């Protein structure tokens, strides 16, 4: 991999970069990324990734199947060969002649290969596009086969993995090609309605009618590193706007930054990721879960000990001390807990519309065998990370990311866990322009009616509406040194006492802290922290959080969605003591003592 190990011909090529690469020579090929000559066998060993510049060379469908599927597990689905030519299209030559050529050159009968396979032992349906067949363009037959793959997945209850590579709709089949966008999209909608996992892997290049239909409709969308993906190609965009395009325009990394894909992976990382995603979703797709049991109710109960998370009432500390503890820079962050209190975590990025907000992290996690969707504010630890994460103050896209992850949880009957630690939502003009209030309102409304259990934990600072956005839940846990507040004590003091120096007085007047939340029934339990606070022993703090979460998830696992929603509604209506209606049913009792 190192430059010193590069064979001499590559070095020679490097010095001749001004001349165009000579293309293929016997046993050698030139990298389209850096122009170096690469020994073919070395390139094969490296999964067609240039060891010099990391350029991911294009891969044909069969090589891709070999890379992703367990050895020997792929069984191709037979499609009766159809070669539609609905327009009797001829340009410089007749369309059937072009199809024959494409078929001969690519050794494929169309631009997509469909079949079943196993990935890490998990059965899946695969649809892999072949860019070498007329640029992976989508005509009637591609539409038919992609729909066939989705139907097979529906019939057999299997996840569908689609590997996309396409220039767009096929011109030679005219408006019939255009309507394959609708045909394939409805097939993906049916998968979504059935709660079945679809994963789309976007490879270089994916454009036009394919990117604007099934390629971006997967439950999880992953882009391969460096892949170019967009609707209109860069040349069309440039000619239209007559301006320089930003560096990296339409690359996988550009898509990630703009919130359009869940993840970007190098070629070698794709298969391990797929195995984790399939494993995390497989526990959720059992019949037991479909009948209303979340995350597996039949598992053995959690360990209980006298020193458990809520074994004792919270220490009634001075609210101002609690505020300072909750804000301590050394306290574990959401990502710290995700890597210590949970067993696996696959982060999913982006709101699929505008950006990936680093102040909110979320994704799929497992905790003692239960798969959950976790969403939390992320403050960051170092100065640099705190700035990058905007000190844990989300923009609207952060809340929209959280909301789409809640949609994912509901689609797969997975419980939601939220970890709350924010000074508040970002106060700024750009946040207002993008609808901060509506984004917060939207997620509160969504979580109030989410048909899966929601367990919220205030782990640190719970500032105002920006915190409440992740607090609408069946259970609200508060860590011993955490608080929820309608306004910061400094803000309250500045308004009512006319000086921020009265913040300690304001904190006491507002009765900030876990004790008050528990007494009033707003919090359903308190998670005890180790002596000296969570920051003094993050491992012990994570253990206690894990234990508390497992207990709450198991308590909620048996409820069917309607019972869950009725109880959540009563809980929310009961806060403040004046219930809107006289409902009955189970209410979580505040836990103070075991
Ligand atoms: Zn290269």
């Amino acid at each position: 991999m190192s430059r010193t190990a590069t064979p001499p011909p590559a070095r020679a090529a490097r010095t001749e970069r001004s001349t165009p690469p000579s293309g293929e020579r016997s046993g050698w090929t030139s990298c389209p990324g850096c122009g170096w000559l690469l020994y073919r066998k070395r390139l094969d060993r490296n999964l067609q990734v240039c060891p010099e510049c990391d350029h991911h060379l294009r891969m044909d469908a069969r090589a891709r199947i070999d890379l992703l599927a367990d050895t020997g597990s792929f069984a191709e689905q037979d499609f009766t060969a159809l070669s539609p030519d609905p327009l009797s299209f001829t340009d410089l030559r007749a369309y059937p002649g072009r199809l024959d050529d494409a078929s001969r050159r690519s050794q494929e009968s169309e631009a997509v290969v469909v079949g079943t396979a196993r990935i890490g032992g998990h059965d899946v349906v695969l649809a892999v596009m072949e860019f070498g067949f007329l640029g992976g363009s989508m005509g009637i037959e591609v539409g038919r086969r992609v729909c066939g793959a989705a139907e097979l997945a529906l019939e057999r209850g299997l996840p569908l993995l689609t590997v996309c590579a396409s220039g767009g709709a096929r011109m030679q089949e005219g408006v019939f090609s255009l309507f394959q966008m609708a045909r394939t999209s409805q097939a993906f909608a049916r998968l979504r309605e059935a709660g079945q996992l679809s994963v789309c892997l976007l490879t270089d290049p994916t454009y036009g009618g394919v990117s604007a239909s099934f390629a971006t409709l997967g439950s999880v969308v992953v882009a391969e590193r460096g892949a170019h993906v967009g609707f209109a190609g860069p040349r069309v965009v440039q000619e239209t706007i007559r301006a320089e395009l930003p560096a990296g325009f339409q690359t996988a990394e550009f898509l990630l930054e703009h919130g359009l894909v869940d993840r970007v992976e190098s070629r070698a990382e794709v298969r391990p990721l797929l195995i984790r995603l399939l494993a995390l979703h497989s526990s959720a797709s059992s019949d037991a879960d479909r009948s209303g049991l979340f995350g597996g109710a039949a598992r053995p109960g959690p360990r209980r000990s006298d020193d458990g998370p809520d074994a004792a009432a919270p220490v009634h500390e001075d609210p101002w001390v609690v505020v300072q503890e909750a804000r301590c820079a050394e306290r574990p962050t959401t990502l710290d807990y995700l890597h210590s209190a949970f067993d696996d975590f696959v982060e999913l990025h982006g709101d699929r519309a505008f950006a990936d907000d680093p102040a909110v992290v979320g994704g799929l996690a497992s905790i003692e065998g239960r798969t959950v969707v976790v969403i939390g504010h992320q403050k960051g630890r170092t100065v640099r990370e705190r700035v990058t994460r905007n000190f844990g103050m989300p923009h609207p896209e952060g809340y929209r990311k959280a909301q789409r992850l809640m949609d994912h949880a509901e689609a797969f009957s997975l419980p939601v866990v939220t970890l709350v630690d924010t000074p508040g939502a970002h106060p700024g003009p750009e946040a207002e322009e993008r609808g901060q209030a509506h984004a917060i309102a939207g997620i509160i409304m969504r979580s109030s009616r989410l048909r899966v259990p929601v367990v919220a934990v205030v782990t640190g600072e719970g500032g105002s509406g920006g915190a409440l956005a992740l607090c609408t839940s069946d259970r609200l846990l508060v860590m011993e040194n955490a608080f929820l507040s309608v306004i910061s004590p400094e803000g309250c003091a500045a308004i009512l006492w006319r000086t921020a120096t009265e913040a300690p007085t304001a904190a006491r007047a507002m009765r900030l802290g876990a004790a008050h939340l528990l007494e009033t029934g707003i919090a359903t339990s308190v998670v005890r922290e180790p002596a000296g606070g969570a920051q003094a022993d993050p491992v012990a703090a994570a253990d206690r959080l894990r234990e508390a979460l497992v207990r709450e998830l198991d308590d909620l696992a048996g409820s069917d969605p309607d019972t869950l929603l009725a109880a959540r509604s009563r809980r929310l209506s009961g806060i403040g003591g004046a219930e809107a209606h006289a409902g009955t049913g189970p209410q979580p009792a505040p836990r103070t003592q075991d």
Side-chain angles (χ1 to χ4, degrees):
M1 295 286 279
S2 72
R3 279 171 187 273
T4 49
T6 309
R11 291 208 180 281
R14 181 88 169 177
T15 57
E16 295 161 12
R17 265 186 79 184
S18 52
T19 57
S22 57
E24 294 177 22
R25 287 181 215 165
S26 171
W28 298 87
T29 190
S30 62
C31 168
C34 65
W36 279 47
L37 274 191
L38 298 165
Y39 189 40
R40 274 192 180 282
K41 282 187 179 165
R42 188 181 178 212
L43 196 57
D44 290 345
R45 278 198 303 274
N46 211 36
L47 310 175
Q48 306 297 314
V49 175
C50 173
E52 297 300 328
C53 75
D54 197 45
H55 182 88
H56 285 48
L57 281 78
R58 288 178 188 164
M59 225 179 189
D60 66 39
R62 300 290 160 173
R64 184 68 71 171
I65 291 165
D66 286 348
L67 173 70
L68 297 178
D70 296 355
T71 311
S73 70
F74 181 69
E76 190 166 356
Q77 183 78 2
D78 239 357
F79 286 90
T80 347
L82 294 178
S83 298
D85 183 14
L87 309 181
S88 302
F89 193 90
T90 299
D91 46 76
L92 297 178
R93 55 182 303 206
Y95 177 44
R98 287 203 188 272
L99 286 173
D100 288 345
D101 276 3
S103 188
R104 206 167 26 251
R105 254 187 253 130
S106 65
Q107 298 291 300
E108 298 295 349
S109 58
E110 250 298 345
V112 64
V113 179
V114 171
T116 54
R118 276 190 305 282
I119 298 179
H122 300 276
D123 288 314
V124 297
V125 175
L126 270 178
V128 182
M129 300 193 75
E130 174 55 65
F131 191 75
F133 191 104
L134 293 180
S137 57
M138 178 163 68
I140 297 166
E141 185 57 14
V142 168
R144 184 172 80 110
R145 292 188 187 193
V146 170
C147 284
E151 272 157 27
L152 190 63
L154 275 169
E155 243 172 64
R156 302 201 184 167
L158 296 178
L160 171 64
L161 169 65
T162 316
V163 181
C164 305
S166 173
R170 191 173 295 171
M171 286 176 286
Q172 292 90 338
E173 295 180 29
V175 74
F176 296 101
S177 293
L178 194 63
F179 268 84
Q180 301 313 309
M181 294 167 71
R183 183 185 195 176
T184 53
S185 298
Q186 63 83 30
F188 272 62
R190 288 173 56 211
L191 277 175
R192 193 176 289 192
E193 285 162 15
Q196 270 177 256
L197 181 70
S198 57
V199 179
C200 294
L201 175 64
L202 307 178
T203 71
D204 190 59
T206 301
Y207 275 93
V210 167
S211 67
S213 64
F214 67 89
T216 47
L217 292 177
S219 331
V220 178
V221 181
V222 180
E224 196 171 62
R225 197 182 282 173
H228 288 79
V229 180
F231 180 60
R235 219 178 311 157
V236 173
V237 175
Q238 188 136 33
E239 279 167 15
T240 309
I241 64 166
R242 299 198 181 283
E244 276 300 297
L245 296 173
F249 184 64
Q250 291 183 331
T251 56
E253 295 70 18
F254 173 94
L255 298 180
L256 186 70
E257 192 189 329
H258 289 276
L260 305 175
V261 293
D262 287 292
R263 297 179 67 92
V264 171
E265 300 290 346
S266 74
R267 190 161 287 163
E269 290 165 336
V270 172
R271 185 178 139 90
L273 172 72
L274 290 173
I275 294 171
R276 287 166 73 200
L277 284 174
L278 291 166
L280 284 164
H281 285 90
S282 66
S283 66
S285 59
S286 68
D287 291 338
D289 292 308
R290 297 228 179 286
S291 67
L293 305 175
F294 304 101
R299 294 184 179 88
R303 205 159 34 89
R304 282 173 190 269
S305 77
D306 292 335
D307 192 32
D310 56 358
V315 178
H316 288 249
E317 271 211 79
D318 177 0
W320 182 240
V321 175
V322 172
V323 169
Q324 287 167 305
E325 286 278 312
R327 288 173 175 173
C328 173
E330 303 309 313
R331 255 179 109 73
T333 66
T334 290
L335 282 176
D336 292 331
Y337 284 125
L338 273 163
H339 293 119
S340 52
F342 296 81
D343 306 307
D344 190 17
F345 172 57
V346 174
E347 187 170 359
L348 301 177
H349 294 268
D351 64 349
R352 296 265 172 96
F354 179 76
D356 181 44
D357 188 344
V360 174
V361 294
L364 296 150
S366 68
I367 180 164
E368 294 190 12
R370 300 151 190 81
T371 299
V372 293
V373 166
V374 182
I375 302 160
H377 301 97
Q378 178 63 22
K379 279 183 171 176
R381 163 107 344 108
T382 62
V383 173
R384 195 171 170 178
E385 201 203 344
R386 289 186 156 237
V387 171
T388 306
R389 305 262 180 200
N390 198 32
F391 305 92
M393 295 188 291
H395 285 74
E397 49 272 23
Y399 295 114
R400 292 185 177 124
K401 167 163 72 176
Q403 191 170 330
R404 84 155 183 98
L405 291 172
M406 287 183 180
D407 293 341
H408 187 97
E410 192 179 72
F412 297 98
S413 302
L414 299 171
V416 171
V417 171
T418 65
L419 301 177
V420 179
D421 185 18
T422 179
H426 179 75
E430 70 284 20
E432 297 296 322
E433 281 164 11
R434 300 201 288 274
Q436 185 72 286
H438 185 257
I440 292 172
I443 191 170
I444 293 173
M445 186 168 80
R446 185 73 179 99
S447 45
S448 75
R449 302 300 291 168
L450 206 64
R451 295 178 70 78
V452 291
V454 185
V455 177
V457 190
V458 187
T459 60
E461 217 177 344
S464 193
L468 195 82
L470 297 185
C471 285
T472 310
S473 56
D474 302 302
R475 302 289 156 85
L476 180 63
L477 281 56
V478 184
M479 296 201 62
E480 193 179 340
N481 294 308
F483 70 95
L484 262 178
S485 179
V486 68
I487 186 171
S488 71
E490 290 80 2
C492 178
I495 295 167
L496 299 179
W497 278 264
R498 296 177 191 278
T499 166
T501 56
E502 288 295 333
T505 315
R508 288 169 200 131
M510 289 193 288
R511 305 179 64 189
L512 301 186
H516 178 65
L517 291 170
L518 192 67
E519 280 160 21
T520 53
I522 290 172
T524 53
S525 77
V526 172
V527 182
R528 294 276 284 179
E529 294 184 25
Q535 64 274 22
D537 189 348
V539 175
D543 283 346
R544 291 177 179 196
L545 176 61
R546 169 196 285 256
E547 204 175 315
L549 283 173
V550 166
R551 186 188 51 230
E552 300 295 350
L553 290 168
D554 283 352
D555 272 0
L556 291 164
S559 315
D560 69 88
D562 291 331
T563 310
L564 199 66
L565 286 187
R568 193 181 303 154
S569 172
R570 277 192 304 278
R571 181 177 133 67
L572 295 172
S573 301
I575 288 175
E579 275 191 72
H581 63 90
T584 53
Q587 286 286 346
R591 294 167 194 270
T592 54
Q593 202 82 36
D594 251 347

